[in-house]
Amino acid sequence: MGDVENATRAEVDQLGVEPVSQGLTAAAVALARQLDDAEDAKGAAAAARELRAIMSDLRKLAPVESKGDAVDDVSRKRAERRAALQQQAGG
């Protein structure tokens, strides 16, 4: 496997879209392989252009991650302080 194929596979894994879009995923990997194996600039440019378009589509299909907000951060910090105080009191 080449560098582009490895990077493409890693990004697809991180996006978590393969079960939803196996065809686009397979096409992305095949294009990445073509880009790794390209012997002329014209072929590489065409493969890169198509790969970029497919990866853009895959990114749009990726589930939205819940990162939390300020309220979650405050609640987490409060729980950590409470646990620390309980440990000090008990121990």
Side-chain angles (χ1 to χ4, degrees):
M1 273 189 256
D3 292 340
V4 178
E5 183 178 354
N6 285 335
T8 300
R9 286 179 186 273
E11 184 172 353
V12 166
D13 287 344
Q14 187 230 356
L15 290 172
V17 293
E18 188 168 9
V20 177
S21 186
Q22 292 177 349
L24 278 178
T25 299
V29 171
L31 283 166
R33 193 174 303 122
Q34 286 180 10
L35 191 53
D36 281 331
D37 296 340
E39 294 185 15
D40 66 331
K42 193 173 184 179
R49 184 173 42 257
E50 292 302 314
L51 178 58
R52 182 182 51 78
I54 288 176
M55 291 306 295
S56 177
D57 291 343
L58 288 173
R59 288 181 197 108
K60 291 175 188 173
L61 294 172
V64 177
E65 288 185 28
S66 175
K67 299 259 185 189
D69 59 8
V71 174
D72 292 336
D73 290 341
V74 169
S75 296
R76 181 184 49 79
K77 288 177 183 177
R78 183 178 295 142
E80 288 172 357
R81 283 193 305 271
R82 199 174 289 142
L85 288 172
Q86 287 175 347
Q87 187 177 16
Q88 286 177 349

